Amino acid sequence: MALLDTSIRGGELKIRFSVVVCVAMVLGSACAGAQDAKLVNGYRPTWWKEAVVYQIYPRSFKDSNGDGIGDLKGITSKLDYIKGLGVDVIWLSPHYDSPNADNGYDIRDYRKVMTEFGTMADFDTMLAEIKKRHMRLIIDLVVNHTSDEHRWFVESRKSKDNPYRDFYIWRSPKDGHEPNNDPSFFSGSAWQFDKTTDQYYLHYFAVKQPDLNWDNPKVRAEVYALMKFWLDKGVDGFRMDVIPLISKDQAFPDLTPEQLKNIGTAYANGPHIHEYLQEMNREVLSKYDVMTVGEALGISLEQTPLMVGEDRKELNMIFNFDAIRINRDGAQWKEWTLPEFKALYAKHAAELDTHSWDTVFLSNHDNPRVVSNFGNDSDAFRVPSAKLITTMLLTLRGTPFFYQGDELGMTNYPFQKIGDFDDIEVKNAYKAQVLTGKVPEADFIANLRRTSRDNSRTPMQWDTTANAGFTTGAKPWLAVNPNYTKINAAEELKDPSSPYSYMAKMMKLRKEAPAFVYGDYKDLDPGNAAIFEYTRTLGAEKYLVVLNFSDKATEFSVPDGMKLGKMVISNEGAAEGMTLKAWEARIYRF
Ligand code: TEU
Ligand code: CA
């Protein structure tokens, strides 16, 4: 049922959407409105539940001045392209002043725009242009750590009695060594010795990313103030970097061998995590109409409601990495199966009730390209598998997040040698593993070809001109994927059967079908190793989604008594019968 006039925008859209859902549900005689007119199938309707999010990694999106680095003016020039997909919210990876040890995730000044990206005026223009197109903007809040060049740290390291000393976590050597065995996510110890004061400081990430001491109320006050600075400018919320890591067990016991296998889990859930998030909500978030999504490294599904449950007043939703990292054992790529993958979504549906909202995503700037990682990026199957993944992400439970280039079906980069990489994680791991002789170079590179973060960080492929139209300069900061002559936005915008055009169609379909947002979810064939088949139902509005995750034509069946109605979309255009082509995706009414 096409219930929505998609020309209605913003706040008006919100109201119309909810009212219409309730009407649909009344027709289906299942309106929850009996108790609370505002609830839809038990959910409180909110713009961020209905939104589709598109992540921009500014460095790689669009260069406007030929220096080889993407920038804010570049983003502003491409807003119509993003709006054309049907995106509601843009998540911008860090745009703040930074020496770029970790591409902006090391912030030197939270109130200044990175020089390479432009000026505050460029930011204000970009934000105004986003709003003009009835989209929203969330920005990256990176407050577990700062850059070592942040003025707080510059002060902090000067002396033990500096007023900023306790902004960070300093410890004396233990028996002439690091205070404990905590490793950094980027290889080596998480403790760095600083000879000015003969103490170590903690850095869970790079040496140039010292961890803030959240137990210091002055740190928390500074963070809340900088959040307000951006919210008062009109940004619509935050993606919160490694947020579960902010509270630490300040006794710093050694990690056990078991904990060392998964340091994310070991570092998350410190003693005051919920206290601090509730305080942040009370002091800042509750005063604005915003959306928050925590990068919830180390938070299990069972713990999720503690962080996103409505009554908890902490965050709106978190990223759980169970699906995106299903093919990983630490840094190592591993095989995965469809039944394992499907079981995760079933578990999410079981664990998160109507008071805990979820996210759905299979890509970001820390992971390989989605079509290479979860589809099949060969010439034969790249296009249908990219579209199949789009179909799935827009119809599973939760707010969908796409990463720039997913809409084009951009693929992993053909890395050959260590010099092809930029990522500090890779460079540090190379020193720790290859240069020490622990891992053969060829194995190291082969694994990175499948897993490296740089796969997703290569520049956006805009057209067939030099450097894919990303930059007019001679050299982009990271090499463009040579397949840009085939895979690029200009070609795809012209082609009604391209992954971009399909994503736009799917987003429109989702907007017209509240069942994909608020409907119940049921996996009809959890054991099937090739087909993912599920329903989303909201009163009388019932959809069946069938996805063939294989390179072979495969038959599907429906449960006894289910009468298939109209097919609403197929990634193969005209589709017939009960046999799905390789990587075919269909949605039916029933
Ligand atoms: O990432 C944290 C995180 O999830 C890490 O596990 C990261 O993916 C790591 O590289 C795993 O291989 C966030 C940011 O998304 C990432 O870009 C930053 O490098 C990191 O925090 C530090 O700010
Ligand atoms: Ca530039």
Side-chain angles (χ1 to χ4, degrees):
M1 199 181 311
L3 292 165
L4 254 195
D5 172 7
T6 43
S7 67
I8 304 168
R9 300 289 180 222
E12 219 183 316
L13 172 74
K14 207 164 50 187
I15 295 156
R16 187 69 75 88
F17 198 103
S18 324
V19 170
V20 169
V21 174
C22 204
V23 170
M25 294 177 69
V26 171
L27 294 177
S29 69
C31 190
Q35 292 109 342
D36 181 345
K38 284 192 220 126
L39 295 190
V40 177
N41 198 21
Y43 294 96
R44 196 175 306 282
T46 318
W47 61 266
W48 44 260
K49 293 178 181 165
E50 296 161 15
V52 176
V53 186
Y54 182 92
Q55 183 190 353
I56 294 182
Y57 196 66
R59 208 174 182 75
S60 304
F61 192 65
K62 172 72 184 161
D63 176 20
S64 72
N65 63 350
D67 67 353
I69 299 172
D71 46 52
L72 302 186
K73 277 195 176 134
I75 295 171
T76 304
S77 74
K78 293 295 183 186
L79 291 175
D80 287 335
Y81 167 88
I82 297 170
K83 180 69 189 177
L85 274 173
V87 168
D88 304 290
V89 175
I90 293 172
W91 152 26
L92 185 67
S93 272
H95 63 283
Y96 315 90
D97 176 46
S98 165
N100 286 302
D102 186 21
N103 286 352
Y105 282 91
D106 49 321
I107 296 170
R108 184 165 47 202
D109 185 343
Y110 289 100
R111 288 180 173 77
K112 197 177 161 223
V113 170
M114 192 189 296
T115 316
E116 298 90 316
F117 291 173
T119 63
M120 193 60 91
D122 295 336
F123 182 89
D124 293 340
T125 304
M126 178 187 76
L127 181 58
E129 291 295 321
I130 289 171
K131 303 236 156 176
K132 209 191 264 175
R133 288 164 179 81
H134 308 284
M135 293 188 287
R136 287 180 164 100
L137 176 70
I138 64 170
I139 57 176
D140 225 302
L141 184 72
V142 189
V143 288
N144 172 67
H145 44 267
T146 68
S147 164
D148 65 342
E149 298 182 28
H150 192 290
R151 82 182 160 81
W152 302 335
F153 192 76
V154 172
E155 287 300 318
S156 186
R157 79 189 327 174
K158 280 183 182 164
S159 68
K160 286 186 183 167
D161 55 9
N162 186 283
Y164 287 92
R165 187 66 171 179
D166 289 338
F167 267 52
Y168 296 85
I169 298 168
W170 293 95
R171 289 292 183 277
S172 292
K174 210 170 125 192
D175 309 322
H177 294 286
E178 288 81 7
N180 80 350
N181 69 353
D182 279 1
S184 152
F185 285 96
F186 293 160
S187 303
S189 170
W191 295 101
Q192 175 70 18
F193 188 69
D194 203 46
K195 50 184 180 328
T196 315
T197 52
D198 286 335
Q199 283 196 318
Y200 287 90
Y201 66 83
L202 183 75
H203 64 91
Y204 280 162
F205 294 89
V207 171
K208 281 181 72 63
Q209 290 167 300
D211 281 48
L212 282 165
N213 177 18
W214 272 70
D215 293 346
N216 180 349
K218 288 186 191 150
V219 167
R220 305 203 299 277
E222 287 282 2
V223 170
Y224 304 154
L226 78 88
M227 290 172 74
K228 285 182 190 154
F229 171 84
W230 291 99
L231 291 171
D232 290 340
K233 271 190 175 289
V235 308
D236 301 287
F238 300 102
R239 175 268 187 187
M240 300 190 185
D241 195 60
V242 291
I243 200 70
L245 270 47
I246 56 176
S247 167
K248 273 101 180 165
D249 176 353
Q250 298 259 3
F252 291 106
D254 271 333
L255 297 189
T256 63
E258 203 44 41
Q259 287 177 308
L260 285 168
K261 286 188 201 146
N262 190 343
I263 55 171
T265 306
Y267 294 162
N269 290 305
H272 304 291
I273 179 68
H274 297 296
E275 185 189 322
Y276 295 159
L277 289 177
Q278 284 168 16
E279 182 183 75
M280 177 195 280
N281 192 299
R282 206 166 51 237
E283 297 291 322
V284 186
L285 300 170
S286 62
K287 303 185 161 114
Y288 301 83
D289 175 24
V290 291
M291 143 176 183
T292 54
V293 52
E295 192 206 15
L297 195 62
I299 301 291
S300 70
L301 194 54
E302 292 72 19
Q303 293 165 324
T304 299
L306 286 176
M307 208 167 260
V308 306
E310 275 171 344
D311 57 331
R312 300 282 300 169
K313 304 214 177 323
E314 295 188 18
L315 303 178
N316 296 146
M317 57 189 119
I318 62 174
F319 294 130
N320 177 304
F321 292 96
D322 51 6
I324 199 171
R325 289 286 165 98
I326 194 169
N327 55 10
R328 292 281 283 280
D329 182 4
Q332 198 61 38
W333 192 87
K334 70 164 202 243
E335 292 290 343
W336 60 285
T337 68
L338 190 63
E340 274 173 82
F341 183 77
K342 295 190 283 191
L344 296 175
Y345 293 105
K347 206 169 149 211
H348 276 236
E351 291 285 339
L352 303 185
D353 68 10
T354 54
H355 303 290
S356 291
W357 195 250
D358 209 350
T359 58
V360 43
F361 70 102
L362 286 175
S363 58
N364 60 33
H365 65 294
D366 292 332
N367 287 281
R369 285 283 168 190
V370 70
V371 70
S372 305
N373 211 7
F374 292 97
N376 178 333
D377 65 8
S378 68
D379 284 347
F381 301 124
R382 184 185 64 86
V383 169
S385 68
K387 293 178 185 171
L388 174 141
I389 292 164
T390 297
T391 314
M392 180 179 73
L393 292 170
L394 287 168
T395 56
L396 282 173
R397 281 171 88 249
T399 296
F401 286 73
F402 291 94
Y403 178 74
Q404 64 186 40
D406 287 352
E407 72 278 17
L408 302 175
M410 277 177 64
T411 66
N412 282 354
Y413 184 89
F415 294 107
Q416 299 301 324
K417 53 183 192 306
I418 185 68
D420 294 343
F421 297 91
D422 169 84
D423 185 2
I424 183 164
E425 183 182 30
V426 170
K427 289 177 176 164
N428 286 1
Y430 184 78
K431 277 182 221 146
Q433 295 167 32
V434 179
L435 296 184
T436 54
K438 286 186 193 141
V439 177
E441 173 139 15
D443 294 358
F444 184 80
I445 304 285
N447 185 54
L448 283 177
R449 217 174 282 136
R450 296 190 112 145
T451 61
S452 169
R453 310 198 296 179
D454 280 339
N455 280 305
S456 60
R457 298 176 179 185
T458 64
M460 270 291 280
Q461 296 166 202
W462 292 109
D463 56 39
T464 54
T465 64
N467 288 318
F470 163 71
T471 178
T472 53
K475 203 169 181 276
W477 73 276
L478 188 65
V480 172
N481 195 311
N483 63 19
Y484 76 90
T485 50
K486 278 192 323 219
I487 305 172
N488 64 73
E491 301 286 316
E492 294 209 16
L493 284 166
K494 285 190 298 214
D495 175 5
S497 68
S498 68
Y500 177 99
S501 301
Y502 183 81
M503 190 184 281
K505 228 183 284 170
M506 258 313 298
M507 286 204 195
K508 185 153 180 287
L509 194 149
R510 179 188 160 91
K511 284 219 166 66
E512 292 166 357
F516 292 127
V517 179
Y518 299 114
D520 292 332
Y521 168 81
K522 188 163 191 269
D523 183 345
L524 297 186
D525 197 0
N528 194 319
I531 305 250
F532 193 1
E533 177 172 356
Y534 52 91
T535 54
R536 296 299 309 274
T537 54
L538 185 64
E541 202 199 331
K542 299 179 178 174
Y543 290 95
L544 174 78
V545 180
V546 278
L547 311 168
N548 181 7
F549 269 82
S550 85
D551 297 348
K552 291 194 208 89
T554 311
E555 239 179 279
F556 75 100
S557 59
V558 294
D560 284 347
M562 180 187 276
K563 270 194 73 185
L564 287 188
K566 187 173 173 265
M567 187 179 78
V568 272
I569 200 165
S570 156
N571 64 346
E572 287 289 344
E576 270 171 51
M578 300 296 278
T579 302
L580 300 174
K581 293 188 193 118
W583 296 100
E584 184 171 351
R586 296 182 195 171
I587 301 178
Y588 291 93
R589 300 291 308 244
F590 71 96

